[in-house]
Amino acid sequence: MSNHCDCHCDHDHEAQHGHNHINRYEEAFALFDLHLHDENVTTAVRRLIDEKSAQYRTDEVKRQLLAAIELTTLRVTDSQESVLAFTERVNRFADAHPDLPHFATLCVYPNFARIVSESLEVEGVEVACVSGGFPSSQTFIEVKTTETALAVHDGATEIDMVLNVGAFLSGDYETCADEIEEIKAAARECPLKVILETGALQTAVNIKKASILSIYAGADFIKTSTGKIEPAATPEAALVMCQTIKEYYEKTGTRIGFKAAGGISTVDDAIAYYTIVREVLGEEWIKQGLFRIGTSRLANLLVSDILGEETKAF
């Protein structure tokens, strides 16, 4: 694994002497608490939301949520014309409401990076592209890295990739980590978000292991899901991921971001995820832009709630 690794194992010695490479991943896993039970995670996250979320139903928090949104269009019907119109709606909204926070990013397929980067006029909004064979991650690594490099060349400033879930569930951690490292290199200086596809991982232990693997391989953010399979984002997955990020921060002093995506369509949903991040990780994650929400539906509802009148700007 790459730059984040602190598992203190001799990687060069392993490579030279043919030792089982899986040992280094198991050593990394051993640094974390993997004594998780799905029922306990469900109980804990429900209690957390029930006890803490009410205090975050404020106008200030809703504005913070607006600033955390990655406004997304990832449809089979997307076109140059529709993505241009999507971007121009964001420009017009920012002009009409200069008192509201701008979105964190616009998230599109990589072939639309250029049109978004050239037409987006709102300062501070990033151009995120899904890459690496999204949403299944089932293609050649050469295709994944080339797609990433092309997206960055065309103006992408952030990259969202999907963990090779099939390899992970087969125990092939080497392939998973190598792919993250290679896509990270192709992304150059752009922050890399690794999508775990938590619905396919199924268990809390798998979600935690995938989080650890992704972070140690170079992820700047870990993200719940593509939104293309069910279940998508869940509070249970979010809790496990945020707890992993916290443990990693306590060990290294490095903050890793968290992105919830997939099926987040109500203000209450957004506040639930905000509650988890704020209570587990703290306010600094919010202030530093390390909490994101990927959505195509929430923005209108959140803006309507803040303005006190229905809007369909997006």
Side-chain angles (χ1 to χ4, degrees):
M1 288 179 275
S2 76
N3 56 328
H4 295 314
C5 186
D6 64 351
C7 61
H8 309 300
C9 44
D10 188 347
H11 296 188
D12 292 335
H13 178 81
E14 287 179 356
Q16 292 168 10
H17 294 81
H19 286 194
N20 188 347
H21 288 288
I22 200 171
N23 288 343
R24 57 173 154 164
Y25 306 103
E26 296 295 349
E27 284 193 35
F29 296 151
L31 296 173
F32 292 77
D33 179 12
L34 290 174
H35 298 92
L36 302 177
H37 299 282
D38 294 341
E39 299 82 2
N40 294 344
V41 171
T42 298
T43 300
V45 78
R46 296 303 170 192
R47 181 184 303 119
L48 178 65
I49 292 169
D50 288 346
E51 293 180 356
K52 301 293 186 178
S53 63
Q55 66 185 300
Y56 298 123
R57 298 179 190 279
T58 66
D59 186 65
E60 179 186 0
V61 166
K62 290 169 185 174
R63 287 171 176 266
Q64 290 177 332
L65 287 168
L66 193 62
I69 283 181
E70 298 200 0
L71 193 65
T72 302
T73 181
L74 297 172
R75 300 174 300 178
V76 70
T77 54
D78 285 345
S79 65
Q80 294 289 318
E81 293 77 14
S82 71
V83 173
L84 176 59
F86 168 78
T87 308
E88 288 179 338
R89 285 195 294 274
V90 172
N91 291 335
R92 288 195 299 271
F93 182 81
D95 288 341
H97 298 280
D99 55 322
L100 292 181
H102 60 66
F103 298 126
T105 78
L106 301 190
C107 185
V108 296
Y109 283 114
N111 50 311
F112 299 119
R114 184 180 299 276
I115 194 165
V116 175
S117 64
E118 291 180 349
S119 58
L120 182 61
E121 299 172 356
V122 188
E123 186 175 353
V125 179
E126 304 294 337
V127 180
C129 284
V130 294
S131 187
F134 180 93
S136 67
S137 193
Q138 297 288 12
T139 190
F140 302 101
I141 184 59
E142 294 84 357
V143 173
K144 295 179 180 184
T145 54
T146 300
E147 184 179 44
T148 301
L150 288 169
V152 172
H153 178 269
D154 279 0
T157 58
E158 297 184 356
I159 294 294
D160 291 32
M161 64 162 285
V162 184
L163 177 74
N164 189 328
V165 177
F168 177 85
L169 292 175
S170 298
D172 185 0
Y173 305 134
E174 189 85 15
T175 291
C176 294
D178 286 350
E179 287 193 357
I180 293 169
E181 290 174 2
E182 291 190 42
I183 293 172
K184 173 74 172 176
R188 302 181 191 174
E189 300 302 316
C190 298
L192 178 66
K193 309 185 201 93
V194 178
I195 306 167
L196 305 186
E197 201 65 289
T198 53
L201 297 178
Q202 297 186 339
T203 70
V205 171
N206 277 344
I207 292 168
K208 186 151 192 177
K209 283 185 173 181
S211 299
I212 296 165
L213 179 74
S214 299
I215 292 170
Y216 276 72
D220 299 293
F221 282 73
I222 50 176
K223 174 179 170 182
T224 54
S225 47
T226 62
K228 303 299 184 182
I229 72 166
E230 294 294 338
T234 65
E236 289 82 0
L239 180 64
V240 172
M241 292 166 70
C242 288
Q243 288 172 337
T244 308
I245 290 169
K246 181 179 181 180
E247 285 184 62
Y248 182 76
Y249 175 71
E250 290 171 346
K251 295 176 191 305
T252 67
T254 300
R255 288 187 171 93
I256 302 298
F258 168 75
K259 179 177 175 181
I264 302 171
S265 57
T266 71
V267 175
D268 282 348
D269 288 342
I271 290 173
Y273 288 104
Y274 180 98
T275 301
I276 294 166
V277 173
R278 182 70 177 267
E279 291 295 319
V280 175
L281 295 173
E283 190 175 8
E284 282 304 307
W285 261 258
I286 311 293
K287 288 181 175 179
Q288 294 188 25
L290 294 173
F291 169 47
R292 302 282 185 79
I293 301 174
T295 182
S296 58
R297 292 176 285 179
L298 175 63
N300 283 330
L301 292 174
L302 195 55
V303 170
S304 297
D305 197 303
I306 293 169
L307 296 179
E309 60 185 35
E310 185 177 7
T311 180
K312 295 183 179 178
F314 311 107

